[in-house]
């Protein structure tokens, strides 16, 4: 899970201001590192580990000049996440281009051992974006003549699709323009927008619509699965359909990743989460359990918590106060770091627990570390009964497309029934949404024709090319990152 934005502004403008405004809007997608590359006569870069506000200072605006920019926030999925892996990446030769991505290259290790080894190319990082960049630039280098045309970019994108497997949305710039493309199955989001100012028209591609909203852009549309856009010196956006595969956007974007004020593929994340809460509320009523209050785990469960409580007929209360200055435990690099921050992150309000049958609602239950600690806190606060509810289904399978769930042993639900999970977590009952309920809820929030990637719930990988070797390689990457 990462976030990106690329911008092409009017000649003479500086795109970095919009780029950083966009990054702040998607800081939730990656707190490990941030970076930006601009172009004016040459590439100018600033990258570093930490939050956007920690990496960038006012003094950096003086040299991050140019009407072209690409920027990124990251947490590591492939690689160790050190400063050499911070995006964007760029090449000055043989083709000048800078690039950022969101996703995961599943055949990263295979490409390193064959494609790049045969070309005597030595990668300078452990970040999988580097292979996308080299394959793209290598194809672009073979174009017939300058300037770069939409046909040249289409050939380069097709080369990436043919060689690089996995899920990845990409945005980037060259000295001549801006491009973006979405993986053949459209698993990762990519949204295109524009704004008109007295200076001229600005164009942007980003991971979420909220990025464009915050920076003052009008959403034009989502890129389709396997589609690219190129804006060259003529400043006319040109779209091309490069691959034709079934569209399978990641459903976890609606459950957890995206901001609630975002629209993805014509669907409101906020409306989806409200509907997820309603459906789980109906399921709770069917159990015959009696609850006094619904307490959502902040932040992502708040929207669903309100509608679940409405259906059950009990109040929704803020039982946990979140310390906003502690990072998201889900994207911390290892279990030790996650567990150390959970108690500091969430502090309870005793009056909302004491003597009550409490529904604690979360967006998902992955490893169980957060849930176990939350249940323990609720017990300490005097809760009579604790019903732990997840408005997504059981997470059972590794995600190989850019979510930090890459080792089978991490899932608390794997190999356990509901009773065993409840016992392991210390709660009285655990309640999950079904896959069917989840899909129907998201479709009801907008695009009723969407079919999703649900690999982490059911183990069916839409790209159809996942091998045991890939599973092993990526699992090893995550284990090494946890030790680092």
């Amino acid at each position: 899970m990462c976030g990106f934005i690329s911008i092409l502004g009017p000649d003479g403008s500086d795109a970095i201001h919009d780029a950083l405004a966009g990054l702040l809007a998607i800081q939730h997608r990656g707190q490990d590192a941030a970076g930006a590359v601009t172009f004016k006569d040459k590439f100018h870069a600033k990258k570093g580990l930490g939050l956007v506000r920690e990496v960038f200072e006012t003094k950096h605006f003086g040299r991050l000049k140019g009407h072209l920019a690409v920027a990124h926030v990251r947490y590591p999925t492939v690689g160790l996440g050190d400063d050499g892996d911070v995006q964007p990446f760029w090449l000055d030769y043989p083709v000048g281009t800078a690039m950022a991505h969101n996703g995961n290259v599943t055949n990263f290790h295979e490409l390193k051992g064959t494609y790049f080894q045969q070309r005597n190319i030595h990668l300078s990082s452990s970040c999988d974006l580097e292979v996308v960049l080299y394959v793209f630039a290598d194809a672009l280098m073979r174009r017939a003549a300058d300037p770069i045309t939409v046909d040249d970019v289409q050939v380069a994108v097709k080369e990436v699709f043919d060689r690089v497997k996995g899920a990845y949305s990409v945005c980037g710039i060259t000295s001549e323009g801006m491009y973006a493309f979405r993986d053949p199955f459209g698993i990762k989001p990519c949204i295109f927008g524009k704004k008109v100012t007295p200076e001229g028209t600005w164009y942007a591609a980003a991971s979420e619509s909220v990025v464009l909203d915050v920076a003052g852009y009008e959403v034009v549309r989502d890129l389709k699965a396997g589609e690219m856009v190129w804006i060259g010196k003529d400043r006319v956006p040109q779209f091309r359909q490069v691959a034709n595969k079934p569209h399978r956007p990641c459903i976890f974007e609606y459950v957890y990743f995206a901001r609630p004020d975002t629209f993805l593929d014509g669907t409101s994340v906020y409306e989806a989460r409200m509907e997820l809460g309603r459906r789980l509320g109906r399921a709770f009523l069917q159990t015959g359990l009696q609850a006094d209050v619904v307490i959502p785990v902040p932040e992502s469960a708040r929207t669903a918590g309100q509608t679940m409580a409405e259906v059950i007929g009990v109040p929704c209360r803020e039982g946990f106060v979140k310390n906003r200055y502690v990072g998201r435990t889900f994207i911390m690099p290892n279990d030790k770091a996650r567990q150390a921050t959970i108690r500091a992150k969430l502090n309870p309000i005793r009056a909302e627990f004491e003597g009550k049958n409490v529904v604690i609602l979360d967006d998902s239950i992955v490893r169980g570390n957060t849930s176990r600690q939350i249940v323990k806190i609720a017990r300490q606060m005097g809760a009579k009964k604790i019903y732990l509810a997840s408005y997504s289904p059981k997470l059972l399978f590794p995600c190989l497309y850019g979510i930090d769930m890459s080792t089978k042993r991490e899932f608390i639900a794997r190999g356990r029934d509901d009773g065993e999970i409840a016992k392991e977590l210390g709660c009285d009952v655990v309640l999950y949404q079904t896959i069917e309920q989840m899909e129907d809820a998201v479709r009801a929030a907008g695009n009723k024709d969407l079919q999703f990637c649900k690999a982490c719930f059911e183990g069916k990988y839409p790209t159809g090319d996942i091998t045991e070797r890939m599973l092993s390689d990526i699992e090893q990457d995550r284990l090494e990152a946890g030790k680092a």
Side-chain angles (χ1 to χ4, degrees), residues 88-107:
F89 284 9
W90 77 95
L91 294 173
D92 295 300
Y93 177 86
V95 175
T97 183
M99 178 183 286
H101 90 328
N102 167 36
N104 195 56
V105 175
T106 54
N107 64 336

Side-chain angles (χ1 to χ4, degrees), residues 254-255 272-280 391 433 438 441:
Y254 302 93
V255 170
R273 290 179 187 167
M274 284 203 300
E275 191 60 31
L276 286 162
R278 292 188 190 100
R279 309 237 170 179
L280 193 60
Y391 66 78
Q433 191 96 255
M438 175 182 64

Side-chain angles (χ1 to χ4, degrees), residues 100-330:
H101 90 328
N102 167 36
N104 195 56
V105 175
T106 54
N107 64 336
F108 176 60
H109 293 275
E110 178 188 339
L111 288 170
K112 283 175 65 177
T114 56
Y115 180 86
F116 290 101
Q117 193 173 73
Q118 292 163 6
R119 287 161 176 76
N120 200 29
I121 296 173
H122 302 280
L123 301 181
S124 61
S125 77
S126 58
C127 177
D128 55 347
L129 171 68
E130 195 172 7
V131 305
V132 182
L133 176 64
Y134 275 112
V135 172
F136 180 84
D138 182 62
L140 206 58
M141 179 187 67
R142 298 195 298 268
R143 69 188 185 280
D146 288 330
I148 295 172
T149 69
V150 66
D151 292 332
D152 298 327
V153 178
Q154 182 174 353
V155 168
V157 172
K158 185 177 186 306
E159 183 80 1
V160 172
F161 288 170
D162 287 345
R163 295 194 180 276
V164 181
K165 307 305 178 186
Y168 45 85
S169 283
V170 174
C171 70
I173 57 175
T174 73
S175 61
E176 300 174 25
M178 185 191 92
Y179 60 86
F181 54 92
R182 194 172 181 182
D183 64 80
F185 291 85
I187 296 171
K188 295 300 178 184
C190 187
I191 301 164
F192 182 73
K194 71 174 184 178
K195 70 176 178 179
V196 179
T197 68
E199 293 76 28
T201 302
W202 299 65
Y203 296 100
S207 296
E208 294 187 25
S209 67
V210 68
V211 181
L212 304 178
D213 296 340
V214 167
Y217 289 73
E218 170 194 354
V219 173
V220 175
R221 65 177 177 86
D222 297 80
L223 290 189
K224 300 173 185 175
E227 187 182 29
M228 56 153 277
V229 60
W230 162 252
I231 310 171
K233 290 185 175 181
D234 61 3
R235 306 186 62 82
V236 177
Q238 299 183 73
F239 297 86
R240 292 283 179 89
Q241 191 67 42
V242 184
N244 291 284
K245 302 287 186 181
H247 188 192
R248 295 293 183 267
C250 171
I251 200 166
F252 218 65
E253 289 280 351
Y254 302 93
V255 170
Y256 175 71
F257 288 153
R259 273 178 46 159
D261 46 346
T262 276
F263 279 76
L264 299 174
D265 289 309
T267 296
S268 164
V269 173
Y270 179 74
E271 295 286 344
R273 290 179 187 167
M274 284 203 300
E275 191 60 31
L276 286 162
R278 292 188 190 100
R279 309 237 170 179
L280 193 60
R282 294 173 198 145
F284 182 86
L285 289 175
Q286 292 176 2
T287 67
L289 298 170
Q290 298 298 313
D292 299 308
V293 64
V294 172
I295 296 177
V297 178
E299 302 279 347
S300 54
R302 280 178 170 153
T303 305
Q306 294 169 8
T307 51
M308 183 180 187
E310 289 171 4
V311 170
I312 296 174
V314 300
C316 178
R317 292 287 187 260
E318 294 289 335
F320 294 102
V321 176
K322 181 179 179 180
N323 184 338
R324 298 176 186 274
Y325 302 98
V326 178
R328 294 173 87 178
T329 58
F330 180 90

